[in-house]
Amino acid sequence: MIRLAREADWPAILEVHRAAFDPEDVPRIAAELHERTDLYVPELSFVAEEEGAVVGHVMNTWNQIEETGVRVLQLAPLGVLPARQRRGHGSELVRASLEAVRAAGEPLLLVEGDPAYYGRFGFVRADELGLLPPPEALHDWAFQVAVLDQAVALPQGRVVYSAPFRH
């Protein structure tokens, strides 16, 4: 089951990210984003629940375009407990994010990740559409965008990660 994250879920959410990722950076990023009311969007934070336990989490938070200051949403972090991976939880969390961001009227959603994984949800290389990766991006090819509203002109320029991603 996929549902909106609740405040009471946050200890479990941080445990998901600790278990899913080796470095402590991801749980730190999730916690810092959660604390930032200018970045965190509660209506765009979802958990995967199995047998009453939180087994996965995704959040969609604000970044901006360097030249213009236009705000854009990014899907990150996405984590699933290792013992619960490969059961569709991550895919359902991505789908929930795309649907909610589209319903919120946002024209795009960014992600930095494996193109083989995210490509099946409609993500394409962002730089090919004029959205350049932030300097902190590990690989240009991993920085991607899902265009959610074809009728809206996409912002152009270099994306600047919010502070939690830059530390």
Side-chain angles (χ1 to χ4, degrees):
M1 177 175 96
I2 305 298
R3 63 170 174 78
L4 281 174
R6 302 177 193 128
E7 278 304 307
D9 294 327
W10 274 91
I13 287 169
L14 295 177
E15 284 305 314
V16 164
H17 292 302
R18 278 188 196 94
F21 298 98
D22 222 0
E24 278 292 310
D25 275 354
V26 176
R28 176 195 56 78
I29 289 168
E32 286 183 22
L33 288 168
H34 177 244
E35 296 295 319
R36 297 277 307 264
T37 58
D38 59 326
L39 302 175
Y40 178 62
V41 185
E43 311 78 55
L44 300 176
S45 181
F46 300 95
V47 295
E49 198 174 66
E50 191 174 281
E51 298 173 2
V54 172
V55 300
H57 174 253
V58 68
M59 59 198 315
N60 300 275
T61 58
W62 293 110
N63 291 315
Q64 65 179 331
I65 306 297
E66 183 176 58
E67 294 82 7
T68 63
V70 170
R71 294 184 350 146
V72 290
L73 285 167
Q74 178 178 345
L75 184 155
L78 166 65
V80 176
L81 290 174
R84 305 298 175 100
Q85 291 177 0
R86 307 214 186 301
R87 296 184 185 182
H89 298 303
S91 294
E92 290 305 314
L93 288 165
V94 172
R95 285 186 191 98
S97 292
L98 288 166
E99 289 172 21
V101 171
R102 183 180 288 114
E106 291 299 319
L108 64 89
L109 182 60
L110 297 167
V111 72
E112 184 177 350
D114 180 1
Y117 181 79
Y118 289 101
R120 60 192 168 126
F121 303 105
F123 285 89
V124 297
R125 277 188 70 145
D127 58 0
E128 293 177 358
L129 298 179
L131 289 161
L132 304 176
E136 300 85 3
L138 297 177
H139 306 285
D140 290 356
W141 51 262
F143 193 69
Q144 302 162 76
V145 63
V147 178
L148 304 176
D149 186 346
Q150 301 289 337
V152 175
L154 295 181
Q156 305 287 289
R158 182 157 313 278
V159 174
V160 177
Y161 279 153
S162 62
F165 289 102
R166 292 194 311 260
H167 293 160

